[in-house]
Amino acid sequence: MKRVVYKGLTFEPYIESEKIQARITELASQITADYEGKLPLFICVLNGAVPFAAALFQQIKTDAEITFIRLKSYGGTQSTGVMKEVLGLAEDVEGRDVVVIEDIVDTGFTIKHLVDGLKAKNPKSIRVASLLFKPEALQIDFKPDYVGFSIPKKFIIGFGLDLDELARNLPDIYVLCDNQQ
Ligand code: IMP
Ligand code: MG
């Protein structure tokens, strides 16, 4: 695999697509076992979680529903901590077993904001599945219930993750080269 360049920044291969898919298969088995017979509602956080949500949802082997919500907090390679809900939720989550599907938990502000907002709508239960988790970047007390990969505090792109909306279509995950962090 080769390095890629976006907006003058160089990224090197970090997690190959085969490894991502294999880990998603494991998460799907775990989630299937946990939600057997419960009709969970998966809420995919647009745009970044789409590839993860699609791969995960296809491998859930019990009846389940999926819907989408959009939030935004990032500009460039640093979390801004400023959030706004761009697209609201049409589905009623009251009494539902909700599983939020996120691409990455960095400072944790985005997911905390979303989970708190959803809790106010009285779901029966709420858990978070995040493909990636940066424990060292966390600024609040929060841990996703299902984590694909825990990674160091580095900026990554690919498999849904973007640099200013670019690189989401890469099947593999790349990390910003060290001399550019
Ligand atoms: P948080 O609120 O700091 O946890 O940021 C979460 C959001 O920031 C994610 O949903 C991503 O959109 C974005 N983000 C965080 N880390 C990265 C990264 O390494 N690459 C690309 N986007 C990221
Ligand atoms: Mg995002």
Side-chain angles (χ1 to χ4, degrees), residues 104-171:
I104 190 162
V105 174
D106 183 22
T107 62
F109 288 127
T110 306
I111 194 69
K112 176 86 169 52
H113 173 77
L114 177 54
V115 166
D116 286 351
L118 289 170
K119 275 185 181 162
K121 297 176 194 286
N122 299 315
K124 185 171 169 206
S125 70
I126 181 159
R127 285 189 184 163
V128 173
S130 187
L131 180 63
L132 296 138
F133 179 39
K134 297 184 195 170
E136 296 158 9
L138 209 56
Q139 291 187 28
I140 51 159
D141 184 22
F142 180 86
K143 194 188 170 302
D145 303 275
Y146 304 98
V147 174
F149 303 93
S150 285
I151 62 165
K153 198 174 164 180
K154 291 187 171 185
F155 186 75
I156 56 170
I157 56 167
F159 203 78
L161 291 142
D162 70 305
L163 171 63
D164 293 342
E165 298 304 322
L166 296 174
R168 293 196 197 275
N169 52 321
L170 298 174

Side-chain angles (χ1 to χ4, degrees), residues 54-65:
L56 184 75
F57 191 64
Q58 279 175 21
Q59 296 188 67
I60 298 295
K61 305 274 192 283
T62 187
D63 283 349
E65 296 175 14

